[in-house]
Amino acid sequence: MKKSLINSSPVLAIKQIKRRKKKVKEFPFILKKNLRLFFGLKFLLSSLKLNKNNSFSSNFSDEILLTSLNKSNTVKLKKDLYEQSFQKKKYANFRWF
């Protein structure tokens, strides 16, 4: 369980800030430990909602096993988030909060 949660929890996330004239800037930032666990659990539960074939317990156990092996949809979500954050890397210096 611990390994699957570590594999599904992202380190980076994208934050949106509204600028003047309704322009929205998106930039990556590093998540704290609590938010990492929150997003990891959120990714696990969102992938469980996509697969409604069996009961929750069987889907959850299958998802945990696949995530611990880095073959799950949650790992794909995490990698997509990383790709987006690396594309927005040029805006990383706009951190004024």
Side-chain angles (χ1 to χ4, degrees), residues 17-25:
I17 292 184
K18 293 182 182 178
R19 301 286 309 253
R20 289 181 236 149
K21 299 181 183 178
K22 298 183 181 180
K23 290 184 180 178
V24 176
K25 291 276 188 181

Side-chain angles (χ1 to χ4, degrees), residues 4-20:
S4 67
L5 191 58
I6 290 171
N7 287 344
S8 67
S9 60
V11 178
L12 298 172
I14 296 175
K15 190 164 198 149
Q16 296 179 349
I17 292 184
K18 293 182 182 178
R19 301 286 309 253
R20 289 181 236 149

Side-chain angles (χ1 to χ4, degrees), residues 28-84:
F29 68 101
I30 298 173
L31 294 173
K32 293 182 181 179
K33 187 175 184 178
N34 294 335
L35 284 175
R36 287 182 196 171
L37 294 176
F38 170 74
F39 280 118
L41 288 172
K42 186 177 176 181
F43 286 166
L44 275 173
L45 292 176
S46 66
S47 65
L48 286 177
K49 288 180 183 177
L50 295 176
N51 299 331
K52 292 189 177 182
N53 299 335
N54 299 329
S55 66
F56 177 79
S57 59
S58 62
N59 280 341
F60 189 66
S61 62
D62 292 341
E63 190 68 29
I64 286 176
L65 289 174
L66 288 174
T67 307
S68 63
L69 298 174
N70 285 331
K71 295 180 181 178
S72 174
N73 289 334
T74 58
V75 178
K76 292 177 186 176
L77 284 172
K78 179 181 163 183
K79 288 180 182 179
D80 291 340
L81 182 66
Y82 282 166
E83 288 174 6
Q84 289 177 357

